[in-house]
Structures are given as structure tokens and as C-alpha cells.
Amino acid sequence: SAVISQKPSRDICQRGTSLTIQCQVDSQVTMMFWYRQQPGQSLTLIATANQGSEATYESGFVIDKFPISRPNLTFSTLTVSNMSPEDSSIYLCSVPGGRGRTEAFFGQGTRLTVV
Amino acid sequence: DAKTTQPPSMDCAEGRAANLPCNHSTISGNEYVYWYRQIHSQGPQYIIHGLKNNETNEMASLIITEDRKSSTLILPHATLRDTAVYYCIAGYSTLTFGKGTMLLVSP
């Protein structure tokens, strides 16, 4: 299984500011996924980030609000821009299991509180 | 991804088998059945997946019906640490999470 490290693990931010979340994987992966989990809710896919191309966003999520970078095959960042209290959630990155494997593995998440 | 239906909650006594059902009646031929669990405040943990055949690993067993419209995750000897939300997902490259089943294992 892939080892995924997310930073920061948690943060408290002022409304109107932005936070960049980092996701580092211990192996090269083509696709990385970013999810949001709002309080008491299930996970919702924000976007799929492929190295060398623009991220693909799911319905309800836009690049201006959640810009994603994917500079190489082991790293990605998700920025939550112009934050409001409604952005308070756990943000998780995920990667596929590797060659020939379809299951996915998740980081421990970034718990964001916007005040 | 096909829609899945799971009971919102289940209870299990420690040491007994936990059998978690999932309905995925609209699953398509190339979609796998995946099970993940999420222990409070942690990232989801992969448990097991299968396409047609029953599968077993060190964590659990997955029983898929012959018509693939439903499946059951079996934790053979549940422990307190198995208390978590269990998600059943029918899909392929991307995962669509439903509400899952909250499994409470009690002493």
C-alpha cells in the first residue's frame, strides 16, 4: 500500500484567507484525488489531479475556489481560497494502489476550521 | 459509480462475526465492489474488494451474490477497534462514497 503524508494535519484559519494543503506519496502515481468531508457527512470528491495536465473538477467545485497543483508524480497541493466557515471540513488526498490495482489509499486528512 | 444502499447502523458483540450487507443492484459489469472503513477522525482505510468471486484477506471476507446485486462484508471476530463507519462502494477508477454503516462493537 502507498504511504501518504498530508500537511498540515489541522489548522484554524480566519475567514477570507487561503490555506494550501500538501500531499506527499512515497511512490510515483499518475492520478491523485482530493476529497472533502464536511462535519458528520460522507466523503465528496473535489477533483482528480493528473501530473502534467489540468485537474478535473467534480460538479459543484471550481478551480478558482480549490486550485490544485501537481508538479510531479509524488506530490500535489490543494488550496482552499477565500475561506468561509462553510469550508470547515476534513480534506483528504487519495491515490490508487499501484500498477494493476484498483483500490485506493488515503492520507490521514487535514482538519480545517474557519473562524 | 453504481448507487449502494447500506443500513445506517449495526451492533455487534465483541468476538462475534459482524456481517455488513450492501445492496448494489445497478452495478455494471466492470465495476468492482470495494469496502472501506473510517475510524473516527481518520482517513478511510481500504479493507477488501472483489469483482465476481468471493474474496478473503487478513482483515475480512467479501461475499458477492451470483447476480452481483448485493454483497456482505464479514469481520470474523469483531473487536472493539473495529468500531467504525463502513463504506460499500461499487465503482472502478473513482470512488463515490455513500453514508455507510456505523458499526458499533460492544464488550
Side-chain angles (χ1 to χ4, degrees), chain A residues 11-38:
Chain A
D11 207 342
I12 300 174
C13 299
Q14 295 291 323
R15 67 179 67 199
T17 64
S18 298
L19 176 71
T20 296
I21 301 167
Q22 299 179 3
C23 181
Q24 179 76 52
V25 188
D26 68 342
S27 57
Q28 294 184 338
V29 293
T30 303
M31 293 192 295
M32 295 178 77
F33 305 96
W34 286 98
Y35 288 83
R36 180 178 73 180
Q37 186 170 29
Q38 295 176 299

Side-chain angles (χ1 to χ4, degrees), chain B residues 30-59:
Chain B
N30 66 341
E31 289 183 319
Y32 288 80
V33 178
Y34 299 91
W35 283 85
Y36 290 79
R37 71 180 182 185
Q38 187 173 29
I39 297 171
H40 183 62
S41 296
Q42 298 182 18
Q45 178 189 22
Y46 165 78
I47 301 173
I48 198 167
H49 77 287
L51 185 62
K52 295 181 180 179
N53 300 322
N54 298 336
E55 303 287 345
T56 295
N57 63 19
E58 65 278 6
M59 290 183 65

Side-chain angles (χ1 to χ4, degrees), chain A:
Chain A
S1 64
V3 177
I4 304 168
S5 300
Q6 273 188 245
K7 291 181 182 179
S9 58
R10 58 179 61 230
D11 207 342
I12 300 174
C13 299
Q14 295 291 323
R15 67 179 67 199
T17 64
S18 298
L19 176 71
T20 296
I21 301 167
Q22 299 179 3
C23 181
Q24 179 76 52
V25 188
D26 68 342
S27 57
Q28 294 184 338
V29 293
T30 303
M31 293 192 295
M32 295 178 77
F33 305 96
W34 286 98
Y35 288 83
R36 180 178 73 180
Q37 186 170 29
Q38 295 176 299
Q41 303 297 314
S42 186
L43 283 76
T44 301
L45 180 64
I46 298 172
T48 301
N50 290 321
Q51 197 273 333
S53 63
E54 293 288 329
T56 302
Y57 289 82
E58 298 298 307
S59 176
F61 298 96
V62 295
I63 187 171
D64 290 346
K65 176 66 175 178
F66 298 102
I68 289 171
S69 78
R70 186 75 207 276
N72 58 53
L73 290 172
T74 64
F75 187 78
S76 178
T77 66
L78 171 76
T79 298
V80 187
S81 303
N82 188 25
M83 289 184 286
S84 67
E86 292 70 35
D87 295 318
S88 297
S89 298
I90 299 174
Y91 293 86
L92 301 114
C93 70
S94 170
V95 301
R99 185 184 299 275
R101 301 177 67 174
T102 60
E103 68 270 30
F105 298 94
F106 289 79
Q108 287 303 300
T110 296
R111 181 180 294 273
L112 170 63
T113 302
V114 184
V115 298

Side-chain angles (χ1 to χ4, degrees), chain B residues 20-88:
Chain B
L20 290 85
C22 179
N23 182 287
H24 33 78
S25 58
T26 61
I27 193 170
S28 63
N30 66 341
E31 289 183 319
Y32 288 80
V33 178
Y34 299 91
W35 283 85
Y36 290 79
R37 71 180 182 185
Q38 187 173 29
I39 297 171
H40 183 62
S41 296
Q42 298 182 18
Q45 178 189 22
Y46 165 78
I47 301 173
I48 198 167
H49 77 287
L51 185 62
K52 295 181 180 179
N53 300 322
N54 298 336
E55 303 287 345
T56 295
N57 63 19
E58 65 278 6
M59 290 183 65
S61 295
L62 173 61
I63 308 298
I64 303 174
T65 58
E66 189 170 348
D67 62 7
R68 302 210 325 125
K69 293 184 177 181
S70 65
S71 61
T72 301
L73 178 75
I74 301 172
L75 307 178
H77 306 287
T79 71
L80 299 180
R81 288 178 293 180
D82 292 322
T83 291
V85 178
Y86 287 76
Y87 296 101
C88 168

